[in-house]
Amino acid sequence: MSTPSRTAVWPSLVYRDADSARPESGVGGLPPGVGAVYVAVSDPDRLYARATSNGATITREMRDEEYGSRGFQARDPEGVLWSFGTYAGADSEGG
């Protein structure tokens, strides 16, 4: 029996309003009303292939991060940035 894919929405949504323009933020240069979401997935390569084959606007190509995650970022038609990766937070054992 195969293990089902695991997908979890990261417990934060970064949303930019008119008064939150921090240059160091990932949404600092975006217009008000636009935000960013991180979704933890078990197979980002498969999702990346599906997204690119369907014409998604990729804003950061697939890559491995120094903290162990593998993922990519895309922008939807309304300008929201969607990041997909394998990092699902620190484990409950203090990792």
Side-chain angles (χ1 to χ4, degrees):
M1 179 187 237
S2 67
T3 304
S5 294
R6 172 182 56 93
T7 301
V9 176
W10 192 251
S12 65
L13 169 67
V14 179
Y15 180 81
R16 172 151 161 27
D17 64 26
D19 298 323
S20 65
R22 290 185 6 230
E24 73 277 7
S25 168
V27 296
L30 300 175
V34 175
V37 178
Y38 179 82
V39 181
V41 296
S42 59
D43 190 352
D45 292 283
R46 185 171 136 192
L47 182 59
Y48 178 82
R50 182 175 172 196
T52 56
S53 71
N54 283 291
T57 301
I58 304 299
T59 56
R60 190 183 69 229
E61 294 294 327
M62 178 67 72
R63 69 182 186 199
D64 294 314
E65 303 291 350
E66 72 264 1
Y67 52 88
S69 184
R70 177 166 176 76
F72 70 99
Q73 184 179 68
R75 183 184 314 274
D76 73 17
E78 294 182 4
V80 176
L81 295 172
W82 292 82
S83 296
F84 301 93
T86 57
Y87 183 74
D91 63 29
S92 61
E93 301 296 318

